[in-house]
Amino acid sequence: MEENKNNPRPNGKRRFSFYWIYVILTVVLFALYFSGQNEISQEEIDLGQVIEMLKSGEVSKIELVNKETADIYVGDEKEARYSYRIGSLERFEETVEKVQEENGIEHPVYITNVQRKNWGLDFLLTWILPFVFIIVLWIVFMRGMGRGGMGGGGQIFNIGKSKAQLFDKDNVPVNVTFKDVAGLEEAKVEIMEIVDFLKNPNKYTRLGGKIPKGVLLVGPPGTGKTLLAKSVAGEANVPFFSISGSDFVEMFVGVGASRVRDLFNNAKQKSPCIIFIDEIDAIGRARGKNPINGGNDERESTLNQLLTEMDGFGTNSGVIVLAATNRADILDKALMRAGRFDRQIYVELPDLNGRKEIFEVHMRNLKLGDDVSREFLAKQTPGFSGADIANVCNEAALMAARKGKDVIGKQDFMDAIDRIIGGLEKKNKIITADEKKVIAFHEAGHATTSWLLQYAHPLVKVTIVPRGKSLGAAWYLPEERQITTKEQLYHEMIATMGGRAAEQVVFGQISTGALSDLEKVTKQAFAMVTYYGLDEEIGNLSYYDSTGQQDYALTKPYSEKTAETIDKEVKKLVEKAYQEALDILSNHRDGLTQLAQKLIDKEVIFSDDLEAIFGKRPWDTAKEENESNQENHEG
Ligand code: ADP
Ligand code: MG
Ligand code: ZN
């Protein structure tokens, strides 16, 4: 389903007309070449050479062609061997006469005027080229419009045809099956149920039930929605129409709607079957919400047609529409209404187990070293999507290859993960010793505070090797939690402020290095106050709008007075976290200094180093139990 790249429907007609372009172009080029032949064999000379020749008396004839060039004949040759491009006609004539007179040439040559048409070139330019041009334009235009047409017929009539690709038993898609989709067990079950609806409709309609018409796959990018749909095509054994939302969109009004109509007509003929519309947000965006440019009529009529079609086909007609999007929030509410895409399957970012399985899938074809543990890697990649993990595996293979290894080792994977998180290491970025010290203390500040706070994320690794845009980085191991308490958020904020606090405690001055920390902490505090209702002043109110209906960029849902309170509370929260970070670091200044020193020496430190300095985290044992509980829960 990589959009129609290799359209498996052989379409001899289209190919034929395309080759005509090459034929015509070749003919034109040959014609040009041969018409230019006699000019090419002539040698162009300048006035000095003409005069030399006249003096020697070898010139037998000068022919002025079209008052532009003088063909100069030598001896009794039939063809002019030289030609001279004339500047001013009169001066040339004068010169010729004068030179011959002065040198007393016996039989002076006179200039004869001829009109000569270069038939080949002229004919070509005035008659053939315009036609060729028009024909080529026409062919290109037709090709553009008729691309991927489903039916035969003339190409211009294909513009309103759907561009969907059809996979059925004669035409098997790229072999993706459920085996290639790791995790997503619930989604697979739901999808298989839908396939079952199609294959055994009686089982469900026997009791008067209705088979759903539309299923929407929703989830962040890279979580495997398209992959899942592809695998359905491979598993379902029913015809499968695949199209992307943007394929409906064309610059001509009415084309989208007509393509939708055509798609559903084709599907009904093949029923039972599945229609898959990828990235449906391209057409399914909420209608008429943008007051500035007055909306997009073409897109809206396409969407209207889709809605009509989904209402139109009978409930048990054996067509199910599968759609995927990562922007469910901007979809038109009418799409999700009962009777259309009333089923939604959520495809979430993978959890620990899911990541392990995804690693497994993508490691199938890799040559791995003995030290590679999927579990370990899954733990190192919280928040990664399936696509990120696929990328890590590939990147690791490339890194190992670059080093000339025979197998891919653990370190290659770690480097790949680091690279994907933060961009390439820039070992040669110039950093002065002073700067290095500041960075080391900043990162040590994060590490120390997070180590000493019960609810902050435990640290995995800290480095001061600059990579990408950042000068240093700390890796944490976030627990995967579904709800977060106020305390946990607060501790995270303290740890985030730990970098700047360390600079203040140690150097008595702060730097711009904390920009992204401040951004993060400000957003966090703002969300706590205005979204999660975690602030006492504001109370249990949330100004979050999950429907996306209101445009808060223009109007705020609260009064000016509340706005002031929010500002005040956000500031208070961040300030409090900063003070706390300052307190912690002043109380553990020794540890902080040791840690920073270690960082300066080794550039990279791990949780072992922190443990050596601060001792074990007292609450970690309890937490480990907790974590394993949680994992079991997830699995
Ligand atoms: P999207 O959800 O944005 O449509 P894709 O389905 O295109 O994401 O996923 C992109 C790539 O990421 C896939 O081709 C696959 O290599 C990898 N991937 C994503 N999710 C999974 C998964 N659950 N199992 C295996 N590979 C996955
Ligand atoms: Mg996709
Ligand atoms: Zn920082």
Side-chain angles (χ1 to χ4, degrees), residues 250-374:
E250 197 82 51
M251 57 180 174
F252 306 105
V253 177
V255 171
S258 142
R259 284 187 182 157
V260 171
R261 223 173 300 131
D262 186 60
L263 172 64
F264 276 82
N265 278 338
N266 289 333
K268 274 181 234 166
Q269 280 159 21
K270 293 260 179 188
S271 88
C273 69
I274 296 176
I275 297 177
F276 172 56
I277 307 178
D278 205 358
E279 317 283 355
I280 196 175
D281 38 301
I283 49 169
R285 201 175 288 252
R287 285 165 293 180
K289 247 182 68 180
N290 191 344
I292 294 158
N293 60 19
N296 179 336
D297 284 344
E298 166 61 0
R299 210 196 56 231
E300 287 186 8
S301 68
T302 308
L303 174 58
N304 281 334
Q305 188 64 40
L306 181 66
L307 297 178
T308 319
E309 290 291 343
M310 290 198 71
D311 283 344
F313 66 87
T315 327
N316 298 324
S317 67
V319 180
I320 288 184
V321 186
L322 192 64
T325 181
N326 42 37
R327 305 287 320 269
D329 52 323
I330 62 162
L331 288 186
D332 199 293
K333 289 288 167 286
L335 263 179
M336 324 255 233
R337 204 204 61 190
R340 290 167 184 158
F341 290 102
D342 42 8
R343 286 212 171 196
Q344 280 155 37
I345 300 180
Y346 288 94
V347 182
E348 301 284 355
L349 286 175
D351 59 16
L352 189 69
N353 264 327
R355 291 198 299 272
K356 206 173 96 194
E357 287 172 31
I358 297 175
F359 266 113
E360 226 138 73
V361 166
H362 289 281
M363 283 173 171
R364 258 186 231 151
N365 298 324
L366 301 182
K367 291 206 176 98
L368 297 178
D370 297 334
D371 56 349
V372 178
S373 147
R374 293 158 181 81

Side-chain angles (χ1 to χ4, degrees), residues 22 125 229 287-288 378 480 503 506 535 619:
Y22 291 122
L125 281 177
R287 285 165 293 180
E480 276 159 42
E503 292 177 40
V506 177
D535 184 68
W619 41 77

Side-chain angles (χ1 to χ4, degrees), residues 32-265:
L32 270 176
Y33 180 73
F34 283 117
S35 74
Q37 273 286 297
N38 55 354
E39 273 168 32
I40 286 163
S41 67
Q42 265 182 354
E43 190 185 336
E44 232 178 80
I45 53 176
D46 59 22
L47 191 58
Q49 285 167 294
V50 177
I51 294 172
E52 281 306 310
M53 280 186 204
L54 284 169
K55 277 184 188 163
S56 65
E58 56 183 320
V59 177
S60 60
K61 194 164 84 176
I62 296 181
E63 248 178 25
L64 205 55
V65 182
N66 301 342
K67 301 206 167 121
E68 279 170 0
T69 47
D71 279 1
I72 294 160
Y73 292 73
V74 178
D76 47 358
E77 282 175 5
K78 291 265 166 348
E79 295 278 323
R81 191 169 336 150
Y82 305 100
S83 85
Y84 164 66
R85 208 166 273 275
I86 297 168
S88 142
L89 182 60
E90 272 151 38
R91 259 192 49 210
F92 178 67
E93 284 177 332
E94 265 173 38
T95 317
V96 171
E97 264 176 51
K98 225 170 85 193
V99 169
Q100 295 190 101
E101 247 170 56
E102 277 170 9
N103 292 282
I105 302 294
E106 273 174 45
H107 305 287
V109 291
Y110 298 99
I111 298 173
T112 49
N113 243 320
V114 292
Q115 286 287 335
R116 198 186 291 153
K117 267 217 163 88
N118 186 335
W119 273 105
L121 198 65
D122 267 14
F123 187 67
L124 211 82
L125 281 177
T126 50
W127 291 100
I128 302 204
L129 260 186
F131 277 110
V132 170
F133 187 67
I134 288 167
I135 290 170
V136 167
L137 253 189
W138 186 67
I139 290 172
V140 167
F141 193 54
M142 287 302 125
R143 264 176 61 79
M145 295 204 302
R147 214 181 328 138
M150 293 282 302
Q155 290 173 7
I156 182 130
F157 304 112
N158 269 345
I159 183 159
K161 301 272 187 211
S162 106
K163 298 202 242 169
Q165 225 180 327
L166 171 62
F167 299 112
D168 52 19
K169 52 184 181 313
D170 316 321
N171 180 7
V172 187
V174 259
N175 268 330
V176 183
T177 60
F178 278 169
K179 275 209 315 293
D180 302 299
V181 187
L184 305 181
E185 293 307 332
E186 297 95 340
K188 281 187 206 165
V189 170
E190 286 206 52
I191 288 217
M192 270 337 270
E193 191 186 30
I194 283 147
V195 174
D196 200 42
F197 283 150
L198 288 176
K199 286 189 180 162
N200 311 307
N202 292 339
K203 186 165 135 200
Y204 299 90
T205 53
R206 193 168 48 100
L207 304 175
K210 284 180 186 154
I211 288 173
K213 289 181 192 169
V215 181
L216 194 61
L217 292 169
V218 185
T223 44
K225 298 180 295 298
T226 307
L227 189 74
L228 194 61
K230 270 188 207 178
S231 71
V232 174
E235 297 274 341
N237 281 326
V238 292
F240 186 93
F241 291 88
S242 171
I243 191 166
S244 164
S246 59
D247 287 343
F248 291 109
V249 185
E250 197 82 51
M251 57 180 174
F252 306 105
V253 177
V255 171
S258 142
R259 284 187 182 157
V260 171
R261 223 173 300 131
D262 186 60
L263 172 64
F264 276 82
N265 278 338

Side-chain angles (χ1 to χ4, degrees), residues 439 442-443 445-446 472-474 476 495-500 503 513-518:
I439 296 167
H442 179 107
E443 296 303 332
H446 287 307
Y476 303 92
T496 313
M497 293 307 284
R500 169 160 277 195
E503 292 177 40
L515 172 64
S516 64
D517 295 340
L518 296 183

Side-chain angles (χ1 to χ4, degrees), residues 537-553:
E537 280 294 296
I538 298 294
N540 297 327
L541 294 179
S542 173
Y543 298 110
Y544 184 68
D545 176 41
S546 59
T547 64
Q549 298 291 318
Q550 248 67 47
D551 203 350
Y552 285 170

